[in-house]
């Protein structure tokens, strides 16, 4: 969109906060109140799973040290709480595909240190029946925006669901792993394209990492280069209150 057209549209439709709708100075932005209430992943996060770690300089969390994930690095923008959770749910379930533009830009900035020349950008896939009902894959929208800003190749159909899996809300880590066992594969059409090339896999929410693990393993089994994962939001365990530690 040209600057002139943007100014014309802003004249008819003044920019509004993407979270609460109050007027703001520029498009695709948060107002001051929503910005203050949006929990971002801190700079000192585990490079393996993007969970916040106690202090800068930590090499990672204990879980990743004991069971390293099948990817090189993980990045996330938001903690899945409050305003951040509301934004993710609107993108995912409320037909707010317009949110992919600003949120994808945030995701690109978070993933930028881990991007490599020649990297393929691919979303976590939806099963065709779920895609037909939802009408779009929110992870593919985010991946497209990220790839455009990064100047990388976006392959939205790189991965596919071999079968429909149960919704994973409320499942344990072990249940999620069993639910996804053998459920994601690399499309054979792209076997030659992915061979030896680094891959960035994009998802909307990283919870236990089971879905991204299945995607990364499918890429590596097909002969890809290093895999990096990027999620818009990271589910983090609640921190204990001060009174609970006294």
């Amino acid at each position: 969109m040209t600057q002139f057209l943007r100014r014309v549209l802003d004249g008819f439709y003044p920019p509004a906060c993407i979270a609460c709708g109050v007027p703001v100075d520029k498009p695709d932005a948060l107002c001051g109140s929503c910005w203050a209430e949006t929990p971002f992943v801190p700079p000192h996060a585990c490079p393996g799973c993007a969970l916040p770690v106690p202090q800068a300089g930590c090499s990672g969390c204990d879980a990743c040290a004991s069971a390293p994930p099948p990817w090189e690095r993980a990045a996330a923008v938001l903690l899945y709480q409050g305003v951040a959770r509301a934004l993710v749910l609107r993108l995912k379930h409320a037909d707010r595909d317009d949110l992919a533009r600003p949120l994808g830009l945030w995701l690109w900035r978070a993933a930028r240190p881990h991007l490599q020349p020649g990297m393929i950008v691919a979303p976590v896939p939806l099963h065709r029946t779920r895609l037909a009902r939802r009408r779009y894959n929110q992870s593919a929208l985010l991946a497209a925006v990220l790839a455009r800003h990064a100047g990388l190749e976006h392959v939205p159909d790189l991965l596919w669901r071999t079968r429909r899996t149960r919704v994973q809300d409320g499942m344990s880590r072990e249940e999620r792993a069993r639910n996804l066992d053998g459920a994601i594969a690399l499309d054979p059409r792209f076997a030659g394209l992915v061979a030896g090339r680094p891959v960035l896999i994009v998802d909307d929410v990283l919870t236990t990492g089971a879905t991204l693990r299945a995607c990364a393993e499918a890429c590596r089994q097909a002969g890809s280069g290093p895999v990096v994962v990027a999620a818009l939001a990271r589910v983090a365990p609640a921190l204990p209150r001060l009174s609970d530690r006294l």
Side-chain angles (χ1 to χ4, degrees):
M1 181 180 295
T2 66
Q3 292 295 325
F4 172 76
L5 182 55
R6 170 60 74 182
R7 286 196 296 269
V8 171
L9 290 176
D10 288 348
F12 288 100
Y13 307 101
C17 172
I18 62 174
C20 72
V22 303
V24 292
D25 294 333
K26 59 182 181 179
D28 298 335
L30 291 167
C31 68
S33 296
C34 288
W35 179 270
E37 296 175 5
T38 301
F40 288 88
V41 173
H44 46 282
C46 173
C49 67
L51 274 178
V53 292
Q55 60 187 12
C58 287
S59 58
C61 69
D62 293 341
C64 288
S66 60
W71 53 75
E72 300 293 316
R73 288 287 186 273
V77 182
L78 307 166
L79 296 176
Y80 192 60
Q81 305 163 7
V83 173
R85 182 176 182 274
L87 288 171
V88 173
L89 292 177
R90 288 172 193 168
L91 170 65
K92 190 170 184 175
H93 297 300
D95 290 332
R96 288 293 307 277
D97 56 339
D98 59 293
L99 290 174
R101 185 173 60 247
L103 300 181
L105 175 61
W106 294 359
L107 188 55
W108 165 63
R109 289 171 176 164
R112 185 163 46 183
H114 313 307
L115 303 182
Q116 303 174 34
M119 180 173 263
I120 295 172
V121 180
V124 167
L126 286 178
H127 190 268
R128 61 183 181 277
T129 56
R130 192 161 290 156
L131 180 60
R133 186 174 68 249
R134 192 175 294 172
R135 300 190 303 279
Y136 62 87
N137 178 353
Q138 70 281 354
S139 297
L141 297 180
L142 294 168
V145 174
L146 186 155
R148 184 171 66 251
H149 282 288
L152 296 173
E153 183 175 6
H154 178 219
V155 186
D157 299 324
L158 184 74
L159 298 163
W160 66 291
R161 298 262 182 171
T162 61
R163 59 180 171 81
R164 184 171 180 175
T165 54
R166 291 181 294 138
V167 175
Q168 301 199 124
D169 292 348
M171 288 187 183
S172 68
R173 181 182 297 271
E174 292 74 18
E175 289 170 335
R176 287 171 181 255
R178 288 195 298 269
N179 189 41
L180 286 159
D181 185 28
I184 296 177
L186 189 132
D187 190 314
R189 295 176 299 165
F190 302 115
L193 179 69
V194 79
R197 292 178 63 180
V199 178
L200 173 70
I201 302 171
V202 174
D203 202 0
D204 57 344
V205 180
L206 170 54
T207 306
T208 66
T211 303
L212 286 167
R213 178 178 292 274
C215 292
E217 289 173 345
C219 290
R220 297 311 302 267
Q221 289 169 7
S224 77
V227 175
V228 173
V229 300
L232 177 60
R234 181 61 164 104
V235 175
L239 296 174
R241 295 171 300 176
L242 178 61
S243 57
D244 296 333
R245 301 197 299 266
L246 296 180

